[in-house]
Amino acid sequence: MNKIITVGREFGSGGREFGCRLAETLGYAYCDQEIVSEIVDRTAFSERYIQQILERKPTISFPIHIGRTLHTVPSPMLEQSTLLYQKQCEVIREMAEKSNCVIVGRCADHILREQHPFRFFVYADIESRIKRCREKEPEHENLTDRELRKRILDVDRQRSRYYGFYTDHTWGDRINYDLCINTTNTSIREIVTALSMLFMSQMQE
Amino acid sequence: MNKIITVGREFGSGGREFGCRLAETLGYAYCDQEIVSEIVDRTAFSERYIQQILERKPTISFPIHIGRTLHTVPSPMLEQSTLLYQKQCEVIREMAEKSNCVIVGRCADHILREQHPFRFFVYADIESRIKRCREKEPEHENLTDRELRKRILDVDRQRSRYYGFYTDHTWGDRINYDLCINTTNTSIREIVTALSMLFMSQMQE
């Protein structure tokens, strides 16, 4: 069976860099944007639309009363969210079948739970996340610290709702992960070098 | 400055084994029971009594009304708790001054915060903690699974209150640690081997 590593992460904590470096060091496939591209090929939706839908918890339609009868209002948005999540599951499972891989976000820890992935969660304090986002900020964007902090916390809230909706677990709750890494004071490069040893030693057994 | 590693841990998760193996691998001093022995030498209290006091949050005495005046009732227990905590701080600081060391529990992450220790938190799911406790259970003890689970959760509750009282932080909250390790499916031996690389590489810089 292939070795699967999943990486959940707080926005701005360097989770993507961690996943990417780990994949590179171990010679595993790194799956992130590739998953969206694959869904684009299999559906009629644009990359941007898919990205948007796959980052938000779907809006549920509640039954309404018309006279004395309960009716469920069909919600095209909910249907599309469900369809895209299913496509994402399909693509992720195929990628995990193909080779050893590192998958960042996308509830991959839950989708691949039967393959027993090694599950990381990467986080950091808000100040260092603001600093990291600031370093990667496009030139035309001039957000204040307050606006940037709000954006970071908004993205986390979306991720938390999305993860909770599809997995029934709490996003970021340590019990759902094998190792939680605080990147506030720890160098991602160094932690990757050390942890890659863990997977190399496991591979030798 | 000496390298300091602190290890917070859920009861039965193998935190002590992790700390002990890490100290051994790195050639650091391992400080746990030695701290209590040192306090025994410096006070008039027995080892057992010190151990008991240092595992529980102190009972606070509240001011009471006598007539129209507020009086604080002197509480010998609170005074002893405070004294022993201060002695513990003193011993921990001295040990950290002396050599590189690994300190398990005892709010050491907070006491030594100015030395910037590397802070681990070790945890596991309740089933594997019951299993681990069962393996180390004295022969005469025949606790049911339910009793053992209750004891484990009681000890965690005590640790949480004790840590909260002295540090004003939440015990086990990932933001207070650099790395949180779930030992449910991960071999302590392997994770120690990998992580020791992290400290060796830091030492070379």
Side-chain angles (χ1 to χ4, degrees):
Chain A
M1 198 191 279
N2 290 325
K3 298 272 177 196
I4 319 290
I5 295 172
T6 63
V7 184
R9 76 289 183 220
E10 283 184 345
F11 187 67
S13 67
R16 184 173 286 185
E17 182 190 335
F18 170 81
C20 205
R21 279 186 185 269
L22 190 61
E24 203 178 274
T25 308
L26 292 170
Y28 286 18
Y30 174 71
C31 311
D32 185 4
Q33 207 48 37
E34 298 73 5
I35 295 168
V36 178
S37 312
E38 196 60 39
I39 302 172
V40 171
D41 289 349
R42 297 180 192 194
T43 61
F45 303 113
S46 75
E47 188 167 324
R48 194 170 159 195
Y49 181 76
I50 293 172
Q51 196 86 52
Q52 268 178 7
I53 294 284
L54 287 179
E55 277 172 4
R56 284 172 200 275
K57 168 183 164 294
T59 321
I60 304 288
S61 67
F62 291 100
I64 56 161
H65 280 275
I66 300 177
R68 292 193 173 176
T69 322
L70 269 178
H71 291 266
T72 313
V73 184
S75 154
M77 278 297 286
L78 176 62
E79 279 170 24
Q80 283 177 14
S81 291
T82 312
L83 169 80
L84 286 177
Y85 182 75
Q86 282 166 353
K87 284 282 164 211
Q88 180 172 259
C89 291
E90 191 182 296
V91 171
I92 286 177
R93 286 198 191 102
E94 283 175 24
M95 287 180 166
E97 279 280 310
K98 242 189 267 173
S99 67
N100 295 334
C101 60
V102 176
I103 306 177
V104 175
R106 306 179 188 285
C107 305
D109 54 333
H110 181 75
I111 295 168
L112 298 174
R113 63 194 177 282
E114 284 168 20
Q115 279 77 27
H116 305 292
F118 194 95
R119 303 155 304 166
F120 285 105
F121 189 80
V122 180
Y123 63 102
D125 71 15
I126 189 73
E127 284 72 25
S128 73
R129 289 157 70 196
I130 289 175
K131 191 166 166 269
R132 180 179 286 272
C133 287
R134 189 69 79 202
E135 283 162 8
K136 297 187 170 181
E137 200 175 31
E139 266 192 35
H140 62 276
E141 225 175 44
N142 290 311
L143 297 181
T144 63
D145 269 10
R146 201 173 156 183
E147 286 165 338
L148 197 48
R149 175 188 295 258
K150 188 179 171 305
R151 178 186 285 183
I152 290 171
L153 298 178
D154 280 349
V155 174
D156 278 358
R157 207 168 299 120
Q158 271 174 35
R159 286 183 181 170
S160 172
R161 285 185 191 150
Y162 181 83
Y163 186 87
F165 181 82
Y166 284 114
T167 70
D168 242 353
H169 289 301
T170 305
W171 179 77
D173 180 351
R174 62 171 188 254
I175 203 62
N176 301 323
Y177 308 94
D178 297 296
L179 215 56
C180 303
I181 303 169
N182 184 347
T183 56
T184 308
N185 301 311
T186 305
S187 137
I188 292 180
R189 192 178 49 76
E190 282 179 15
I191 195 89
V192 164
T193 307
L195 290 174
S196 60
M197 297 289 170
L198 183 65
F199 297 96
M200 289 174 188
S201 73
Q202 280 183 346
M203 282 162 72
Q204 280 158 11
E205 280 171 9
Chain B
M1 198 190 279
N2 289 325
K3 298 272 177 195
I4 319 290
I5 295 172
T6 63
V7 184
R9 75 289 183 222
E10 284 184 345
F11 186 67
S13 67
R16 183 172 287 183
E17 182 190 334
F18 170 80
C20 204
R21 280 185 184 271
L22 190 61
E24 202 178 274
T25 309
L26 292 169
Y28 285 18
Y30 173 72
C31 312
D32 186 5
Q33 207 47 39
E34 298 73 6
I35 295 167
V36 179
S37 311
E38 197 59 41
I39 301 172
V40 171
D41 290 348
R42 296 180 191 194
T43 62
F45 302 112
S46 75
E47 187 167 324
R48 195 170 157 193
Y49 181 75
I50 293 172
Q51 196 85 51
Q52 267 178 7
I53 294 284
L54 287 178
E55 277 173 5
R56 284 171 200 277
K57 167 183 164 293
T59 321
I60 304 289
S61 67
F62 291 99
I64 56 161
H65 280 275
I66 301 176
R68 290 192 176 177
T69 322
L70 267 180
H71 291 267
T72 313
V73 184
S75 154
M77 279 298 285
L78 176 62
E79 279 170 25
Q80 283 178 13
S81 292
T82 312
L83 169 80
L84 287 177
Y85 183 75
Q86 283 166 352
K87 283 282 164 211
Q88 181 171 260
C89 291
E90 191 182 296
V91 171
I92 287 177
R93 286 197 190 103
E94 283 175 25
M95 288 181 168
E97 279 279 311
K98 239 188 269 175
S99 66
N100 295 335
C101 59
V102 176
I103 306 178
V104 175
R106 306 180 186 284
C107 305
D109 54 333
H110 181 75
I111 295 169
L112 299 173
R113 62 194 178 282
E114 284 169 19
Q115 279 77 26
H116 305 293
F118 194 95
R119 304 155 303 166
F120 285 106
F121 188 80
V122 180
Y123 63 102
D125 70 15
I126 189 74
E127 284 72 25
S128 73
R129 289 157 69 196
I130 290 175
K131 193 166 163 268
R132 179 180 287 272
C133 287
R134 189 71 79 201
E135 283 162 8
K136 297 187 171 182
E137 200 174 30
E139 265 192 37
H140 63 275
E141 224 174 44
N142 290 311
L143 297 180
T144 61
D145 268 11
R146 203 175 153 179
E147 288 165 336
L148 197 48
R149 174 188 296 256
K150 189 180 171 306
R151 177 186 286 181
I152 290 171
L153 297 178
D154 281 349
V155 175
D156 278 359
R157 208 168 298 120
Q158 272 174 34
R159 287 182 181 172
S160 172
R161 285 185 190 150
Y162 181 83
Y163 186 87
F165 181 82
Y166 285 113
T167 70
D168 242 353
H169 289 300
T170 305
W171 180 77
D173 180 353
R174 61 172 189 253
I175 202 63
N176 301 323
Y177 308 95
D178 297 296
L179 215 55
C180 303
I181 303 169
N182 185 346
T183 56
T184 308
N185 301 309
T186 305
S187 138
I188 292 180
R189 193 178 49 77
E190 282 179 15
I191 195 90
V192 164
T193 308
L195 290 173
S196 59
M197 298 290 170
L198 184 64
F199 298 96
M200 288 173 189
S201 73
Q202 281 182 344
M203 281 163 72
Q204 282 157 10
E205 280 173 12

